[in-house]
């Protein structure tokens, strides 16, 4: 039986691992194999340069940063298995985690399985992914390639509003493409967007394709009422159509919100199951940043250590 098992190998999982190992808890970390559709290392392995993670004044490649976190985990004493957890039994301590062909017991579980940004999967999307198309305006919006250029945000929720506001500081014009004639976002966020002279909303409109040469230059939009297609110049296209947290393998044994995000107590990583902690994007639909994920990974390990002292098995 392991003292601590960590599921997930993004910034949250590795930070939890480093702290747990340094507390002599000998953690076992499952990094998954293309779990949720991303490589071990998580969402940052799908991006080029990360320019807002402290300590790297010239930025650092997303995959490179995650390889460094992985190396630091191993150097700290974390045992890493490249396997995906398919199910868990949280009915009593020790908890059980199961891969396709094995199971393991743990006194404490830290869940750090992240979330995946939804993509529209229009025909030529893969050709321009990270060459103009992104699912994170806060991460990529300030890149020189988007400065004073026409930009598009897809979606009508709070994320789309926030991303449009953020991008309006950089682009020449930001067009929100929304499939209905009414926004889902909160009224306060809507108002800020609708009053911003650098943002327009293209109502009843959907994205059907993207075009470019080496990078994105245009999107093809469809008016859902008339069916008419048109070209629209865009050097940047930002998806803000929601995320899917990786929580299906939990089989409903931990309390989640309506969208499947694990509910943690305010200011902590404590979940509805005593002895199970959650860190990173799997429990955070507000900030969704590498640094906030790493911070909550640290919190999870510290809370796990304290819990084990008070509740020994
Ligand atoms: P993730 O990074 O999502 O990692 C979760 C890990 O868990 C993955 O390795 C996954 O495979 C694994 N996993 C899932 N299910 C299982 C399972 N059942 N068994 C085992 N393993 C499992 N943030 C920034 O701060 N700066 C940026 O520049 C930036 N750029 C981004 C660019 C893109 C394109 C995207 C999509 C995101 C970007 N972000 C950026 C956001 C950042 O990547 C996330 O906030 C952060 O990675 C979340 O970390 P995490 O540890 O919670 O989860
Ligand atoms: P939401 O699910 O709230 O909104 C997603 C938006 O994308 C909707 O407008 C939806 O359209 C649209 N959409 C979904 N799928 C497609 C598709 N295939 N094609 C075109 N459009 C699509 O997600 P958010 O990420 O915006 O927000 C998630 C949660 O996080 C919410 O509870 C939100 O309030 C919260 N949040 C809060 C913030 C804050 O308080 N500052 C900031 C960011 C998020 P439709 O409306 O037609 O369904």
């Amino acid at each position: 039986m392991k003292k601590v098992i960590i599921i997930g190998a993004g910034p949250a999982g590795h930070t939890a691992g480093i702290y747990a190992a340094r507390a002599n808890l000998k953690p076992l970390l499952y990094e998954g194999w293309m779990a949720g559709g991303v490589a071990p290392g998580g969402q940052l392995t799908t991006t080029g340069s990360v320019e807002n993670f402290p300590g790297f004044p010239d930025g650092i490649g997303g995959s490179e940063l995650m390889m460094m976190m992985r190396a630091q985990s191993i150097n700290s004493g974390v045992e890493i298995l490249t396997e995906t957890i398919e199910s868990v039994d949280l009915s009593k301590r020790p908890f059980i985690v199961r891969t396709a062909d094995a199971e393991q017991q743990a006194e404490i579980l830290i869940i750090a399985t992240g979330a995946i940004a939804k993509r529209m999967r229009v025909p030529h999307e893969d050709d321009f992914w990270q060459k103009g198309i992104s699912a994170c305006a806060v991460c990529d919006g300030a890149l020189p390639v988007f400065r004073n250029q026409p930009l598009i945000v897809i979606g009508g929720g709070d994320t789309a509003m926030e991303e449009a506001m953020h991008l309006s500081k950089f682009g020449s014009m930001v067009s929100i493409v929304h499939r209905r004639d009414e926004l889902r976002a909160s009224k306060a966020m809507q108002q800020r967007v609708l009053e911003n002279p650098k943002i327009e909303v293209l109502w009843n409109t959907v994205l059907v394709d993207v075009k470019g040469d080496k990078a994105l230059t245009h999107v093809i939009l469809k008016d859902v009422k008339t069916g008419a297609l048109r070209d629209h110049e865009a050097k940047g296209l930002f998806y803000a159509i929601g995320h899917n947290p990786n929580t299906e393998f939990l089989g409903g044994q931990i309390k989640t919100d309506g969208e499947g995000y694990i509910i943690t107590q305010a200011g902590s990583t404590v979940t509805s199951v005593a002895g199970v902690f959650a860190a990173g994007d799997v429990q955070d639909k507000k900030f969704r940043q590498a640094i906030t994920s790493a911070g909550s990974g640290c919190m999870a390990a510290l809370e796990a250590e304290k819990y084990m002292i008070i509740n020994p098995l």
Side-chain angles (χ1 to χ4, degrees), residues 7-13 30-32 34-36 38-44 46-47 49-53 83-86 112-117 129-130 134-136 139-140 246 249 279-282 288-291 293:
I7 311 175
Y30 286 90
E31 66 180 352
M34 298 313 287
V38 294
Q43 295 172 63
L44 286 185
T46 68
T47 190
S49 183
V50 178
E51 301 187 346
N52 52 12
F53 198 86
E83 289 171 36
T84 298
I85 298 300
E86 298 198 341
T113 46
I116 299 298
W129 181 249
Q130 293 296 314
S134 163
C136 184
C139 318
D140 299 331
N246 295 317
F249 71 101
D281 283 12
V282 74
R288 296 182 183 131
Q289 297 297 300
I291 192 71
S293 297

Side-chain angles (χ1 to χ4, degrees), residues 118-120 154-163 177-186 189 192 205-207 239-243 257 259 261 284-288:
K118 291 183 197 163
R119 289 165 62 169
M120 294 218 29
I154 312 278
D158 282 327
T159 302
M161 302 305 110
E162 271 196 355
E163 305 232 319
V177 171
H178 185 42
R179 61 185 176 184
R180 294 189 290 136
D181 58 4
E182 194 186 357
L183 295 169
R184 179 180 293 275
S186 61
M189 299 282 280
R192 258 176 258 160
T205 304
V206 290
L207 175 79
Y239 287 138
I241 59 171
H243 285 68
D257 70 8
E259 294 165 72
Y261 287 88
D284 168 24
K285 61 185 180 194
K286 186 168 180 192
F287 298 109
R288 296 182 183 131

Side-chain angles (χ1 to χ4, degrees), residues 1 9 28 37 40 62 100-102 171-172 219 225 242 278 283 291 301 306:
M1 182 172 68
L28 169 62
D101 47 21
S172 56
V219 295
K225 291 213 158 153
Q283 52 86 57
I291 192 71
K306 193 168 167 196

